[in-house]
Amino acid sequence: MTSRPAPLIPPRLRALLARVPLLVPLVRFVRKVWSKDRYLLIALVVLTVVIGVLDAEVSPYWFSPSLLILFTLIGGLQLRLRSLAILLCVVVASLAYMGPVRGVLSVGPGLLITMAFTAALAWMMARTRGKLGVQGLRGDAMLLELRDRLKRQSELPPLPKDWGGKVVLKQAGGSSFGGDFVVSMREGDRVQVAVVDVSGKGVDAGTRALMLSGTFGGLLGSVDDFLVACNSYLHRQLGDEGFVTAVHLELDLSTGEYTITSAGHPPVVRFDSGSGTWRVSTAKGVVLGVVPDLACETDSGVLRKGDALMLFTDGLIEQPGRDIDAGLDRLLGEAERLLPSGFRDKARQLVQSMSSGHNDDCALVLIWRP
């Protein structure tokens, strides 16, 4: 003979809840709900009812109605939208029960406004999580994981001891996501680096940059003409989501020979250790995705001991009301002042100096031969 399972709600608590007729059908409905958040919903409903009853019957000092704010926030962070609706109905019923039993309304207008605001916030959080199809704080964890993957992808591959490299990314508004990103790969003595700038800045451009970083990272090293393949991909996309500029560097670590290809991107500059000056690359081309057939003018050369290459986005040289050429001259002046004393240590300081006074995404890549 099998034993009957224990009831979800103890008899004494069921008798206490029976004093509030509105809660009885809600509790019965909760018992029929079968989902991952079932037990959390039941626990929050029971706690909400207990607080409401004890506030009215025992003491509002020890069982303050403000505790319902905490339960509402927990529901907004963890419950699904349907379960949260049940919890909010129970919260309203508990607040309504706190006054008539005592003869005086124990919930002031300030608390009611706070509860209404908290309920609206919880509803928005649950609705957003429902659209994403995640539960709890998994959505935030996914964003953190995407941010970490993007940072790892932006790092340069390990270089030999007779080479040096540095990547500096600075997103607008201090965000973790932006429209500027770097993809790179190394295969033997062959290194490829691409600096990409998506139109817009901050989080607005970050979502598209996340998608393109994966696509461009897959194309890098897999095709012969990297920017041509990127242009074909973007040209096939439907809709106008803004322009994309990029510069591609292919470097031979054994000989120092390099080739630069640009598509609407600010020019690469090279430090010549012999003369101690920076020279502007002649590589240029059309913005990616505008024309079906991309034609680019490449630039090539050889990096010798003490030479360096600097790739960057327009966030370093473009400022409102100022010409880009003036911004490039200022960048070269700052580079002549800072970088000869140490490329690795002064790269971030160079970005901070050039980006001060305006809010835009910035990316800088330095590769040098010590």
Side-chain angles (χ1 to χ4, degrees):
M1 183 176 180
T2 59
S3 59
R4 298 179 60 184
L8 292 176
I9 302 178
R12 293 183 180 180
L13 183 57
R14 187 185 300 116
L16 185 61
L17 296 178
R19 298 181 56 183
V20 188
L22 180 62
L23 296 181
V24 176
L26 289 176
V27 173
R28 290 177 179 174
F29 180 76
V30 168
R31 294 178 62 184
K32 297 179 181 180
V33 177
W34 185 259
S35 61
K36 292 183 180 181
D37 59 352
R38 173 191 180 189
Y39 296 108
L40 177 61
L41 173 62
I42 294 175
L44 292 177
V45 167
V46 171
L47 289 175
T48 300
V49 173
V50 169
I51 291 297
V53 174
L54 294 179
D55 173 271
E57 299 293 339
V58 181
S59 171
Y61 179 78
W62 291 102
F63 305 97
S64 172
S66 59
L67 292 174
L68 301 183
I69 298 177
L70 177 61
F71 301 155
T72 304
L73 285 176
I74 295 175
L77 290 173
Q78 297 292 335
L79 295 179
R80 296 177 181 177
L81 201 60
R82 182 180 62 177
S83 300
L84 179 61
I86 298 173
L87 177 62
L88 293 180
C89 292
V90 177
V91 169
V92 172
S94 296
L95 290 174
Y97 180 72
M98 290 177 184
V101 173
R102 296 174 56 88
V104 181
L105 187 63
S106 61
V107 182
L111 182 59
L112 290 177
I113 295 176
T114 305
M115 282 298 306
F117 179 81
T118 305
L121 180 62
W123 187 267
M124 291 175 58
M125 291 189 297
R127 185 178 181 182
T128 302
R129 288 188 292 103
K131 291 181 178 180
L132 293 175
V134 297
Q135 190 173 3
L137 300 178
R138 180 56 184 167
D140 296 335
M142 292 171 60
L143 287 177
L144 291 175
E145 185 176 351
L146 285 174
R147 182 202 62 183
D148 294 339
R149 287 179 178 270
L150 185 61
K151 286 185 176 181
R152 288 194 300 267
Q153 187 171 336
S154 298
E155 297 176 355
L156 291 177
L159 300 177
K161 61 180 180 179
D162 54 342
W163 285 90
K166 181 70 173 180
V167 177
V168 180
L169 296 176
K170 181 177 180 293
Q171 312 300 358
S175 172
S176 298
F177 303 95
D180 297 353
F181 63 92
V182 178
V183 291
S184 59
M185 61 82 62
R186 176 185 174 185
E187 186 177 3
D189 290 333
R190 181 190 178 197
V191 172
Q192 296 189 59
V193 180
V195 180
V196 185
D197 183 3
V198 179
S199 60
K201 60 183 179 180
V203 180
D204 296 335
T207 53
R208 193 180 184 209
L210 283 172
M211 179 189 69
L212 292 182
S213 65
T215 303
F216 286 10
L219 292 175
L220 190 67
S222 302
V223 294
D224 294 332
D225 296 324
F226 171 71
L227 290 186
V228 173
C230 294
N231 180 77
S232 300
Y233 169 78
L234 291 174
H235 194 265
R236 292 194 303 267
Q237 304 304 305
L238 299 178
D240 183 13
E241 297 185 4
F243 62 88
V244 178
T245 67
V247 61
H248 175 230
L249 168 67
E250 188 171 352
L251 175 65
D252 191 333
L253 298 175
S254 60
T255 62
E257 297 179 354
Y258 66 87
T259 302
I260 299 172
T261 310
S262 178
H265 205 79
V268 178
V269 293
R270 172 189 171 184
F271 178 72
D272 190 343
S273 59
S275 60
T277 58
W278 291 86
R279 298 180 179 179
V280 180
S281 171
T282 58
K284 60 182 179 180
V286 184
V287 174
L288 294 176
V290 176
V291 295
D293 299 323
L294 183 67
C296 299
E297 296 182 11
T298 62
D299 185 21
S300 59
V302 179
L303 282 183
R304 298 178 175 86
K305 296 292 184 178
D307 292 355
L309 285 174
M310 181 166 61
L311 297 76
F312 53 91
T313 57
D314 58 4
L316 287 180
I317 61 176
E318 189 177 32
Q319 295 186 12
R322 296 188 61 180
D323 186 46
I324 294 182
D325 292 336
L328 180 60
D329 292 339
R330 179 170 174 259
L331 173 64
L332 297 181
E334 288 291 316
E336 290 180 0
R337 182 177 67 88
L338 294 174
L339 295 182
S341 60
F343 291 103
R344 184 182 302 275
D345 298 332
K346 298 297 183 179
R348 185 168 296 277
Q349 186 177 346
L350 175 63
V351 173
Q352 296 293 342
S353 175
M354 292 300 301
S355 61
S356 62
H358 68 285
N359 187 27
D360 199 358
D361 297 331
C362 302
L364 173 72
V365 176
L366 267 171
I367 297 180
W368 67 90
R369 300 187 73 174

